Amino acid sequence: MHSDANRRIFKFEEKPKDPALLDELQIPATLLKELGLQESAELYQGSMGIYVFNRKVLIDCLKNDEDDFGKNIIPASLQSTK
């Protein structure tokens, strides 16, 4: 996944394998520096399936027939907020 400067997730890919996409998802050097890490580190943000939602947002996200958060619900909710 990828988040902005406010740590708000704006991109989520389920188990990416494409090298170009992995490069795109790497934590940017500016954020690494802000986190006190080496700017040259090849690090990625990941999801372990623990989510915190605003109640209304969660209810809105669940108004569908999907059953997989990582594969369907989160990507669909990110698309609907663009």
Side-chain angles (χ1 to χ4, degrees), residues 30-78:
T30 53
L31 180 55
L32 289 170
K33 183 178 180 180
E34 185 179 318
L35 295 171
L37 301 169
Q38 291 183 347
E39 294 178 55
S40 61
E42 292 184 14
L43 298 175
Y44 303 85
Q45 292 176 311
S47 169
M48 298 299 292
I50 300 170
Y51 308 103
V52 178
F53 285 89
N54 168 287
R55 182 187 301 249
K56 182 183 178 332
V57 172
L58 178 60
I59 290 168
D60 289 345
C61 287
L62 295 175
K63 290 180 181 175
N64 58 58
D65 294 329
E66 302 296 348
D67 59 3
D68 189 298
F69 256 73
K71 199 179 294 179
N72 308 110
I73 296 170
I74 292 175
S77 68
L78 291 174

